[in-house]
Amino acid sequence: MLATVRQLGAALRALIVLTVILGLIYPFAVWAVGQVAFKDQANGSLIHSNGQVVGSRLIGQEFDGPRWFHSRPSATGDTPYDAMNSYGSNLGPTNPDLVKMVKERKATVAKENGVPQSEVPPDAVTASGSGLDPHISPEYAAIQVNRVAEARGLSVEQVKQLVKDNTDNPSLGFLGEPGVNVVELNLALNQASGRG
């Protein structure tokens, strides 16, 4: 009986010590390091405009109309770029539904940007793995430049420079591909048009 009480006491002390260490001290230490060393990332990589949060550098948004650069398609269901509903489409390359969607999207993108379908890059017609990626390829941005410049009354050179300014290089200079953050690019467009 005494041995059982002693074991229960040791187990209770271990529970209390581990709860304090793993439930309080460790999470607080991780939070504190995040706030000191990686404040922007720890708080969601938020984008501000005129003192208001307008998005995140990590999550795409839907932009409609000729005045905006368009994001790649979202695979998050009925609400595009819904971070609470992130998933890939899980449709394989031979799936008839995906083939049909890609053909329709390719025709739409080519028509709205006045380019042949052969110039439409893959990211213009397919969603990213998460369905939330805010980046498009420089090639997809390039076919949208003329449409956006005309709709906004900006020169093509101005819009090309905005694309260049909002193009992220590969991580560490060699990991991945360059990408254009559409959320930041459209915010820069608004500022260049005197609307930011």
Side-chain angles (χ1 to χ4, degrees):
M1 179 72 172
L2 188 59
T4 303
V5 170
R6 211 174 307 153
Q7 285 179 340
L8 285 174
L12 184 59
R13 285 191 301 276
L15 175 67
I16 292 168
V17 168
L18 290 173
T19 298
V20 169
I21 291 172
L22 299 175
L24 298 174
I25 295 172
Y26 177 73
F28 177 77
V30 169
W31 174 83
V33 168
Q35 292 302 311
V36 171
F38 308 101
K39 186 173 177 107
D40 183 53
Q41 294 91 333
N43 292 315
S45 300
L46 300 177
I47 300 171
H48 295 84
S49 177
N50 298 326
Q52 300 237 327
V53 174
V54 294
S56 169
R57 287 179 190 84
L58 306 175
I59 299 175
Q61 294 180 20
E62 183 175 32
F63 295 96
D64 288 323
R67 300 174 45 78
W68 304 104
F69 278 88
H70 297 167
S71 304
R72 65 187 301 171
S74 173
T76 60
D78 295 333
T79 306
Y81 300 99
D82 178 5
M84 299 296 289
N85 197 20
S86 173
Y87 60 88
S89 68
N90 293 333
L91 299 176
T94 59
N95 183 293
D97 293 335
L98 179 63
V99 171
K100 180 181 176 198
M101 256 191 301
V102 166
K103 283 182 180 178
E104 289 170 356
R105 288 174 180 165
K106 187 177 262 196
T108 301
V109 170
K111 182 179 178 185
E112 72 185 6
N113 292 293
V115 297
Q117 287 191 27
S118 60
E119 288 185 25
V120 175
D123 62 309
V125 296
T126 56
S128 65
S130 68
L132 299 173
D133 192 354
H135 292 87
I136 59 174
S137 66
E139 294 78 20
Y140 186 24
I143 69 169
Q144 298 184 65
V145 165
N146 291 337
R147 169 181 51 82
V148 172
E150 182 181 336
R152 291 214 174 232
L154 297 171
S155 74
V156 169
E157 289 309 314
Q158 280 179 293
V159 176
K160 281 183 179 178
Q161 186 61 48
L162 289 171
V163 169
K164 184 178 178 185
D165 293 344
N166 288 281
T167 299
D168 299 328
N169 292 321
S171 299
L172 303 175
F174 66 94
L175 293 175
E177 298 289 326
V180 180
N181 190 307
V182 177
V183 178
E184 291 181 312
L185 174 57
N186 282 331
L187 184 59
L189 264 174
N190 261 359
Q191 291 169 346
S193 301
R195 298 168 188 260

